[in-house]
């Protein structure tokens, strides 16, 4: 028996409906959406539309679900947003909790003449709102993670978005860790652009994700190519979602994503969150008693189900390997693609071990994982 506690990386365990939907698509539909008028293509288009509509419901998108363009993952969506909106001479404000999916494209844009200001952030996941206010004056865009993939904390989105808007800046939210786990309402929270991935909290397959772009926000396409419409023109269509959807869509992936999002909508994000918060609290409580173990992530019941730890004298990579090899407990060690967040915690040299719960995690899983950590560290892993 194994215990999977790496849901923050990917929901490797998915509701069976996801694989069923993908296999039904490949078996019974198989065509490319939006590329022909025959019945298979129409059915493919219907599935893609249903998925857009389900995502729009999940994220509180007002009006046209076509404001959501499918992308391959959050990384592609973030690149599409950052490169599509920012121009040389603009300034972007980001934070030290950012994943490399934000940090690296912003660094690439800096080489093209986009200025960057980085908000410092605290070890408990909070921000200095005065610092944010000062940084946002004259900025074009604020980009931030809704939930930190290292700390599991949730950013004060609405407060930061209000400050950004007061200075005329747009707000881009990286919802890679929050979609499906925390309530996201783009209208209520003042989100202009929302990047999400399909394979984590939305329980879809890898290779799915998307970008919501608020009506009125101008965005240039990062990729150009066929869209199945306006084919006489050498320019990408102006209308969403075609503007950001060059090339053949991931039909089977989107069918799987639809099944995942429907699963989330049927349970309700608040119910999912409450359950995962309780599991996180239990895991924290069980781990806290282990000698030498440092809980790096705060309790943050309003955040996501992530518990990141180090153990004195134990190499995180060795601990994660032994947990898997000796106890079947799967976690993620290292810097979690967020080196600046680890720098805040003082763990930038060798990282930490991250446990992350998901839809199928049970109390028994959590207890087994904590027992495994106690046993492994008692035996002195990596000392
Ligand atoms: C906060 C955050 N942003 C972005 C990403 C990138 O997601 P993807 O690899 O699906 O593009 C991740 C995934 O690890 C993440 O945790």
């Amino acid at each position: 028996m194994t215990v999977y506690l790496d849901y923050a990386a990917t929901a490797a365990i998915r509701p069976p409906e996801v694989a069923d939907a993908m296999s039904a698509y490949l078996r019974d539909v198989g065509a490319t959406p939006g590329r022909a008028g025959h019945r298979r293509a129409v059915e493919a288009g219907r599935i893609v539309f249903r998925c857009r509509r389900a995502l729009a419901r999940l994220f509180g998108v007002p009006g046209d679900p076509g404001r959501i363009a499918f992308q391959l993952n959050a990384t592609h969506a973030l690149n599409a947003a950052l490169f599509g909106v920012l121009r040389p001479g603009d300034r972007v404000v980001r934070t030290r909790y950012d994943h490399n999916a934000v940090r690296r494209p912003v660094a690439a844009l800096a080489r093209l003449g986009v200025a960057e200001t980085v908000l410092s952030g605290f070890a408990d996941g909070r921000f200095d709102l005065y610092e944010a206010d000062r940084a946002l004056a004259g900025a074009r865009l604020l980009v931030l993670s809704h939930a930190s993939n290292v700390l599991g904390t949730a950013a004060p989105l609405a407060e930061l978005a209000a400050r950004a808007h007061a200075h005329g800046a747009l707000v881009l939210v990286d919802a890679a860790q929050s979609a499906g786990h925390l309530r996201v309402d783009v209208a209520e929270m003042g989100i202009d652009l929302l990047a999400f991935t399909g394979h984590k909290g939305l329980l879809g397959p890898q290779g799915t994700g998307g970008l919501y772009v608020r009506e009125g926000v101008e965005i240039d396409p990062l990729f150009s190519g066929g869209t199945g419409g306006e084919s006489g023109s050498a320019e990408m269509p102006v209308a969403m979602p075609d503007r950001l959807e060059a090339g053949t869509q991931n039909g089977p992936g989107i069918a799987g994503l639809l099944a995942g999002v429907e699963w989330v909508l049927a349970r309700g994000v608040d119910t999912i969150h409450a359950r995962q918060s309780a599991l996180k609290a239990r895991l924290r409580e069980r781990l806290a008693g282990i000698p030498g173990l440092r809980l790096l992530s705060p309790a943050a019941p309003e955040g996501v189900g992530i518990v990141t730890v180090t153990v004195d004298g134990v190499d995180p990579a060795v601990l994660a390997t032994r947990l898997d090899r000796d106890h079947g407990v799967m976690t993620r060690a290292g810097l979690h693609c967020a080196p600046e967040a680890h720098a805040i915690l003082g763990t930038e040299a060798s990282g930490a071990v991250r446990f992350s719960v998901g839809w199928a995690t049970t109390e028994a899983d959590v207890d087994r994982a904590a027992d495994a950590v106690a046993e492994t560290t008692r035996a002195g892993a990596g000392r």
Side-chain angles (χ1 to χ4, degrees):
M1 215 181 82
T2 57
V3 176
Y4 185 75
L5 289 176
D6 197 16
Y7 283 92
T10 200
I13 301 170
R14 298 175 171 83
E17 293 90 323
V18 175
D20 291 349
M22 294 179 74
S23 109
Y25 186 98
L26 287 168
R27 192 184 53 232
D28 304 330
V29 184
T32 294
R35 292 297 192 276
H38 56 69
R39 65 194 69 191
R40 279 181 177 257
V42 170
E43 180 55 18
R46 209 174 63 82
I47 289 168
V48 169
F49 174 74
R50 281 177 53 211
C51 190
R52 251 190 259 280
R53 199 176 48 189
L55 287 162
R57 210 178 119 205
L58 183 69
F59 297 139
V61 171
D64 179 14
R67 300 304 305 179
I68 297 172
F70 287 108
Q71 307 282 303
L72 288 185
N73 45 49
T75 304
H76 281 226
L78 287 160
N79 273 267
L82 292 164
F83 281 88
V85 168
L86 293 167
R87 296 286 158 267
D90 286 343
R91 193 163 54 80
V92 56
V93 177
R94 66 171 192 85
T95 84
R96 292 184 85 200
Y97 302 121
D98 285 334
H99 190 275
N100 278 338
V102 168
R103 180 171 164 253
R104 286 178 173 169
V106 167
L109 279 160
R111 292 192 285 275
L112 300 175
V114 173
E116 158 188 30
T117 307
V118 186
L119 300 181
S120 35
F122 301 116
D124 60 1
R126 284 184 306 118
F127 291 95
D128 177 345
L129 293 177
Y130 294 106
E131 179 195 16
D133 216 24
R134 278 194 306 276
L136 286 163
R140 169 88 178 116
L141 182 81
L142 167 69
V143 52
L144 81 163
S145 292
H146 186 185
S148 160
N149 68 320
V150 176
L151 297 177
T153 48
L157 269 194
E159 287 94 322
L160 287 168
R163 281 172 165 80
H165 289 153
H167 290 292
L170 293 170
V171 176
L172 164 61
V173 170
D174 172 0
Q177 290 297 338
S178 61
H181 291 305
L182 300 182
R183 206 173 68 82
V184 176
D185 188 307
V186 293
E188 194 188 299
M189 295 171 169
I191 298 170
D192 300 301
L193 300 121
L194 182 86
F196 59 93
T197 204
H199 64 101
K200 301 183 195 264
L202 300 183
L203 307 175
Q206 285 94 341
T208 59
L211 179 67
Y212 157 76
V213 183
R214 177 175 60 73
E215 181 91 54
V217 173
E218 282 184 23
I219 182 159
D220 284 337
L222 184 56
F223 290 101
S224 297
T227 56
E230 299 183 37
S231 297
S233 169
E235 303 300 324
M236 283 296 280
V238 171
M240 285 282 290
D242 287 7
R243 188 156 184 74
L244 302 183
E245 287 185 351
T248 300
Q249 291 289 298
N250 178 5
I254 292 171
L257 178 60
L258 170 60
V261 175
E262 284 181 337
W263 192 97
V264 169
L265 285 168
R267 269 73 186 173
V269 171
D270 290 342
T271 306
I272 293 170
H273 176 243
R275 197 178 160 274
Q276 294 182 6
S277 257
L279 289 167
K280 166 162 99 167
R282 185 181 182 100
L283 180 57
R284 288 177 59 82
E285 205 183 299
R286 292 290 316 269
L287 290 173
I290 296 174
L293 186 140
R294 256 180 81 207
L295 284 169
L296 298 174
S297 39
E302 75 294 348
V304 296
I306 286 176
V307 180
T308 300
V309 309
T310 51
V311 182
D312 290 345
V314 180
D315 183 322
V318 173
L319 176 56
T321 303
R322 296 221 175 146
L323 286 174
D324 181 26
R325 191 192 64 192
D326 302 339
H327 302 275
V329 174
M330 290 169 260
T331 60
R332 168 101 183 262
L335 295 179
H336 311 100
C337 300
E340 294 166 320
H342 276 282
I344 296 174
L345 302 172
T347 47
E348 68 274 30
S350 47
V353 178
R354 181 182 71 187
F355 299 80
S356 49
V357 302
W359 71 281
T361 308
T362 62
E363 290 186 349
D365 288 339
V366 160
D367 293 350
R368 254 193 82 185
D371 290 346
V373 176
E375 204 181 306
T376 307
T377 54
R378 206 170 28 241
R383 275 180 223 264

